[in-house]
Amino acid sequence: MPSEPLPGELLPGEPGGSDRRLHPWSWLFVLLTNLRHVALPAIVLLVFGRGETWELFGGIAALGLALYSLVYSFGFRYRVGHDELVVREGIFDRTERHIPFTRIQNVAQRRNPLHRLFGVTELRLESAGGVEPEAKMSVITLAEAAALEQLLRRAGRTAGSADHLGIGEHSDAVSPPEVLLRLPLGELVRLGIVSNRGMVVVAALIGGLFQSGNDPRDIPLLRSLWSSMEGIFGEWIQGHGALELLASGIIFVLLAIGALRVLSIVLAIVRHWNFALERDGSRIGTEEGLLTRVRAGASAAKIQRITVEESLLQRWLGRRALRVDVAGSLAAMNEASGTRLKWLAPIATPAQIDGLIATVAPQLAIERDDWRALHPRAWRRLAAVPGAMLLMVAALALLALAISQGQAEAIRFLPIAAAVWLALCVLVLLRARGWARFSAYAIDDQVLAYRSGWLSRDWRVLELSRMQGAVLHCSPLDRRNRMANIAIEVAGT
């Protein structure tokens, strides 16, 4: 039986109980979203393809995507009932889904520059453990999205699901959200310094060039750049000595690292611009982004695990990062939109991190007095396998040298190989001792906490009631040392 609309709860400009459509320009957004997934292959075909066949195929594919976008947009309907959201899709092949409010765990919005130009947004409603969003509305107006979100919250409270959507239990008054954290430009610069996003982007570009099957020097711009670098470095090498070349190489590496850090800073600013963490009742939400504004949120009661991260650079700058795993975030986890609630604080001071945990999930605090050390021989276990692998690599290298260059050359190289192996073993031992000294766990009737790391550290805390299963792994070496590894599974992670 179709459900009745809530009395007095109307979206702007619509009669009560009627089906509601997407924005008239939603087909354009759906088309651009689909084209984004095929843009790179299409560009490769157009640039490296031969003849007019690829252009014809590309035109046919674009026409098909346009028709699909029109069918999707004009065939999408939704209606809010008393205790459920009804979604209808399709024109010829129709699908109708009834989504109870109790299933809706997270509400997220995503606005790229085109959304902001048209004054619209993409709204996603997610459930716990879903592979895809329960409903994805591309696109509706901002006023309609706000009204629908508020309607869902109030309806959820009426249906007894206030905990799912973060609605207060005793008052209908809408109070402004409380800002828990806002990141200024200086913090975003620090975030770019401690992150490696620039390196990831450059590595992806280099990988894309080599995967295309063409020599990068065949591209005019890269060929010109390569020729200029060959000329400059060729003249420099011929006119300077070994020490000058070594100093020049070091300076070049430092400049490259600096350029990658600058790129990381730019990417951090673009992604996290005007980052704000807010609390509205029991709901926690974030909003961020320079070009594409993303707003994600969930009930604080749905936080399954918190993770505090501290790299070596972060520790030098006196900063940490706080992220959470939320029930219902699996849908957005598998998509590139990044609309799930993940970072409560991409960067913040340790005092701010502790304050946020105390406000959002005080039971998951990382500052504890009941930490327990790991097995006394854990450092040996951690160092055994890398040490054995290093010895094997050194032996294979000497064997290959003896076969190719002769036994005398291998014997001459033996002291150098032994020194390198010894230095690497010392590094492995230092890491193993440092990791084992810091790593520990704590468990009580409510939570399980675990910390690990050496130069980079992290703390993870989860409620035992969220645990879905445990996996025990014990290798022959573990059994010999009377120890084991255990992994804890939680829903959606």
Side-chain angles (χ1 to χ4, degrees):
M1 292 293 293
S3 55
E4 297 298 329
L6 289 174
E9 301 292 343
L10 303 178
L11 292 176
E14 293 284 349
S18 64
D19 289 342
R20 298 172 176 88
R21 296 186 177 185
L22 300 177
H23 191 274
W25 286 102
S26 61
W27 66 271
L28 175 62
F29 291 86
V30 176
L31 175 61
L32 293 177
T33 300
N34 291 326
L35 288 177
R36 183 184 62 186
H37 297 299
V38 298
L40 183 59
I43 293 173
V44 172
L45 290 177
L46 289 175
V47 173
F48 300 106
R50 296 294 183 267
E52 299 179 356
T53 306
W54 295 118
E55 287 83 349
L56 177 62
F57 288 164
I60 295 174
L63 179 60
L65 289 176
L67 291 176
Y68 167 79
S69 303
L70 287 171
V71 170
Y72 173 84
S73 300
F74 290 109
F76 191 97
R77 303 285 190 278
Y78 68 94
R79 177 163 56 90
V80 178
H82 180 70
D83 57 358
E84 64 181 2
L85 179 70
V86 181
V87 176
R88 297 184 178 92
E89 299 179 75
I91 295 180
F92 303 105
D93 186 9
R94 297 182 177 179
T95 302
E96 179 175 299
R97 287 191 297 157
H98 295 253
I99 308 170
F101 295 134
T102 53
R103 282 187 58 84
I104 299 176
Q105 305 277 355
N106 305 329
V107 180
Q109 288 190 33
R110 180 177 179 273
R111 301 178 65 207
N112 60 33
L114 193 60
H115 287 100
R116 296 158 71 178
L117 178 63
F118 281 82
V120 295
T121 185
E122 177 183 286
L123 188 68
R124 295 167 181 252
L125 308 176
E126 303 171 3
S127 64
V131 179
E132 296 181 353
E134 290 288 346
K136 176 183 175 182
M137 301 177 185
S138 307
V139 293
I140 58 179
T141 64
L142 289 174
E144 196 171 6
L148 178 59
E149 188 173 349
Q150 187 64 24
L151 221 163
L152 287 172
R153 294 182 185 181
R154 291 181 180 176
R157 183 185 58 193
T158 303
S161 61
D163 179 63
H164 291 266
L165 293 173
I167 305 301
E169 299 180 356
H170 305 294
S171 174
D172 290 334
V174 179
S175 58
E178 176 189 1
V179 178
L180 301 178
L181 178 67
R182 192 179 296 275
L183 295 183
L185 180 59
E187 291 298 316
L188 296 181
V189 171
R190 293 185 180 91
L191 177 60
I193 292 174
V194 301
S195 67
N196 291 316
R197 292 190 180 95
M199 178 67 75
V200 173
V201 171
V202 172
L205 291 176
I206 295 175
L209 288 175
F210 283 100
Q211 286 295 326
S212 64
N214 296 273
D215 191 340
R217 288 174 291 184
D218 292 338
I219 301 174
L221 178 61
L222 294 180
R223 182 171 63 248
S224 176
L225 181 61
W226 183 266
S227 299
S228 300
M229 292 179 63
E230 282 185 332
I232 294 173
F233 284 105
E235 295 178 0
W236 183 265
I237 290 174
Q238 292 177 1
H240 296 81
L243 292 178
E244 293 175 329
L245 292 177
L246 178 60
S248 301
I250 294 175
I251 293 175
F252 178 78
V253 171
L254 293 178
L255 289 176
I257 294 175
L260 291 176
R261 291 300 172 183
V262 170
L263 179 58
S264 297
I265 291 173
V266 172
L267 294 175
I269 292 175
V270 170
R271 179 178 179 182
H272 298 290
W273 176 258
N274 199 22
F275 176 92
L277 173 66
E278 299 177 340
R279 180 176 64 175
D280 186 4
S282 62
R283 187 176 187 273
I284 303 298
T286 60
E287 186 170 0
E288 60 182 344
L290 179 61
L291 301 178
T292 299
R293 295 293 293 176
V294 177
R295 188 164 69 90
S299 171
K302 295 303 173 183
I303 294 178
Q304 299 193 108
R305 179 180 65 180
I306 67 164
T307 302
V308 177
E309 300 174 352
E310 183 186 68
S311 66
L312 182 60
L313 283 176
Q314 286 175 322
R315 187 154 65 251
W316 287 348
L317 294 176
R319 297 295 187 272
R320 290 176 179 174
L322 172 63
R323 62 183 175 92
V324 295
D325 294 302
V326 181
S329 64
L330 183 61
M333 188 188 307
N334 296 326
E335 301 185 12
S337 59
T339 53
R340 69 181 176 120
L341 181 64
K342 178 182 178 181
W343 294 106
L344 294 190
I347 189 169
T349 64
Q352 288 176 317
I353 295 293
D354 293 339
L356 289 177
I357 296 176
T359 301
V360 175
Q363 73 281 8
L364 302 181
I366 64 172
E367 297 298 332
R368 308 176 61 90
D369 297 328
D370 56 345
W371 289 109
R372 306 180 187 179
L374 301 183
H375 194 283
R377 293 191 296 273
W379 69 272
R380 297 183 186 177
R381 173 66 178 86
L382 190 65
V385 174
M389 291 183 64
L390 288 174
L391 181 60
M392 184 181 301
V393 169
L396 290 176
L398 289 174
L399 179 61
L401 185 63
I403 294 175
S404 61
Q405 302 295 329
Q407 185 176 0
E409 186 68 19
I411 294 175
R412 189 175 68 85
F413 187 73
L414 181 60
I416 299 176
V420 172
W421 176 80
L422 183 60
L424 292 176
C425 284
V426 170
L427 182 61
V428 168
L429 289 175
L430 288 176
R431 176 186 176 275
R433 292 300 296 264
W435 182 90
R437 187 180 299 111
F438 176 77
S439 300
Y441 71 97
I443 186 171
D444 55 29
D445 295 337
Q446 294 183 335
V447 302
L448 171 66
Y450 175 66
R451 70 184 189 194
S452 63
W454 178 40
L455 299 180
S456 295
R457 302 172 177 177
D458 64 79
W459 294 257
R460 305 186 184 195
V461 189
L462 62 90
E463 291 189 68
L464 292 177
S465 59
R466 308 289 187 183
M467 187 176 70
Q468 299 289 317
V471 179
L472 186 69
H473 176 74
C474 189
S475 67
L477 188 59
D478 292 329
R479 289 195 296 271
R480 186 177 184 279
N481 289 278
R482 303 179 63 85
M483 61 180 67
N485 301 313
I486 185 169
I488 305 299
E489 298 176 351
V490 294
T493 61

